[in-house]
Amino acid sequence: MERKASRRENECEEKISNSESSELDKEYKTSLITLNVGGYLYITQKQTLTKYPDSFLEGIINGRIMCPFDTDGHYFIDRDGLLFRHILNFLRNGELLLPEGFRENQLLAQEAEFFQLKVLSEAVKSRWEKEQLASRETTFLEITDSHDRSQGLRIFCNAPEFIAKIKSRIVLVSKSRLDGFPEEFSVSSNIIQFKYFIKSENGTRLVLKEDNTFVCTLETLKFEAIMTALKCGFRLLTSLDCSRGSIVHSDALHFIK
């Protein structure tokens, strides 16, 4: 009799446990929301979409705003499905995090306004204004001799990200040709200084190591700069020193998109 009673108690406890587990599973599943935004499906949690009170998404989830459903029963929102990725990331992280080179600030600001996310809208507009200001300021990169700054090349462009890219490219090329001797040049925010510039008989400046081993010519660095610019969609506006009669002989290059 005691064994039967014990077995019944265990069965009751198991049923209660299964019932509680089932309720938790049901609650978890109902907390997951699938949105169809312009044909793109996003699955997220209810708490993410209701993070900002009085927003469009919070209104949909809590029934304040009517929203149509697609054929599969998902909420359908007729907006830019690709940009919604950034809206959702903002709701998850609480801050604006965009990929490098993002250029759709105006469109994202419009999406933020539609979804009634004032904080996001202001963050996008602030980012956009900073980029507009930066684009009007000419940025430069100077490649020079550490002992004589008149020897070298200056690259001008109104796109800071391009200057950063071309700088990393030149450093990469120089390091590979310096064959393990990075101390032969130093890099700061806007200047790359090589230790050894020397003129050959025909006037070409060479970058040399201490043992006079040839590394590369300054013209090679100019070629790298021009090729990188063309690949990025920039054009050579002018050679700032036209008196030399050739791009490869100029002391400065000016790129613009």
Side-chain angles (χ1 to χ4, degrees):
M1 291 291 290
E2 289 180 2
R3 288 183 180 177
K4 288 183 179 179
S6 176
R7 189 185 305 165
R8 286 174 185 174
E9 286 178 5
N10 289 336
E11 288 175 354
C12 288
E13 288 177 0
E14 189 175 341
K15 285 180 181 178
I16 292 171
S17 177
N18 289 338
S19 176
E20 289 176 351
S21 177
S22 177
E23 288 298 320
L24 287 173
D25 287 344
K26 189 182 294 183
E27 184 180 340
Y28 179 73
K29 287 177 181 177
T30 55
S31 72
L32 294 180
I33 307 292
T34 301
L35 299 175
N36 181 341
V37 184
Y40 289 82
L41 294 181
Y42 292 90
I43 301 175
T44 186
Q45 295 186 72
K46 181 179 179 180
Q47 65 189 44
T48 301
L49 299 175
T50 57
K51 187 173 184 178
Y52 289 87
D54 301 322
S55 70
F56 181 82
L57 293 168
E58 183 271 336
I60 288 176
I61 301 304
N62 289 330
R64 291 189 299 102
I65 298 175
M66 296 297 293
C67 180
F69 296 91
D70 65 12
T71 55
D72 295 317
H74 307 312
Y75 289 107
F76 177 75
I77 304 173
D78 191 15
R79 301 300 295 185
D80 192 316
L82 287 173
L83 283 179
F84 187 75
R85 161 196 174 200
H86 306 301
I87 302 287
L88 194 54
N89 280 334
F90 173 77
L91 293 175
R92 289 165 174 161
N93 302 313
E95 60 179 321
L96 178 63
L97 300 171
L98 296 173
E100 184 179 349
F102 183 80
R103 291 291 181 217
E104 297 183 301
N105 293 299
Q106 188 173 5
L107 287 173
L108 184 56
Q110 290 178 347
E111 294 302 295
E113 289 179 6
F114 172 83
F115 286 103
Q116 299 169 22
L117 293 166
K118 186 177 179 181
V119 179
L120 175 58
S121 179
E122 289 175 351
V124 176
K125 288 176 180 177
S126 175
R127 181 182 188 275
W128 189 16
E129 287 171 0
K130 287 179 181 178
E131 286 188 354
Q132 292 294 309
L133 182 62
S135 68
R136 289 192 288 269
E137 297 176 355
T138 299
T139 309
F140 76 95
L141 175 65
E142 185 176 305
I143 304 164
T144 184
D145 178 2
S146 58
H147 303 294
D148 182 3
R149 292 185 65 177
S150 65
Q151 303 286 326
L153 170 68
R154 288 163 187 81
I155 300 170
F156 296 86
C157 184
N158 64 345
E161 68 275 8
F162 169 73
I163 291 295
K165 182 170 185 175
I166 206 165
K167 173 181 162 185
S168 62
R169 174 63 182 156
I170 288 174
V171 168
L172 180 66
V173 170
S174 301
K175 278 187 175 181
S176 67
R177 291 174 182 171
L178 282 167
D179 193 24
F181 292 90
E183 67 275 8
E184 299 296 333
F185 69 96
S186 61
V187 182
S188 63
S189 58
N190 289 92
I191 298 176
I192 301 175
Q193 288 188 328
F194 287 90
K195 271 190 179 182
Y196 304 100
F197 270 48
I198 191 169
K199 290 185 177 180
S200 62
E201 292 181 0
N202 61 8
T204 302
R205 299 187 191 97
L206 304 178
V207 182
L208 305 178
K209 294 188 206 174
E210 287 182 347
D211 61 359
N212 290 335
T213 304
F214 170 79
V215 177
C216 61
T217 66
L218 194 59
E219 282 65 38
T220 302
L221 298 181
K222 292 177 188 178
F223 178 76
E224 289 287 344
I226 293 171
M227 291 304 296
T228 303
L230 294 177
K231 287 178 181 177
C232 292
F234 288 86
R235 60 190 175 89
L236 183 63
L237 182 65
T238 181
S239 165
L240 298 185
D241 182 1
C242 298
S243 61
R244 296 176 182 263
S246 171
I247 291 176
V248 293
H249 294 113
S250 64
D251 289 335
L253 301 172
H254 192 169
F255 297 106
I256 195 169
K257 185 170 280 189

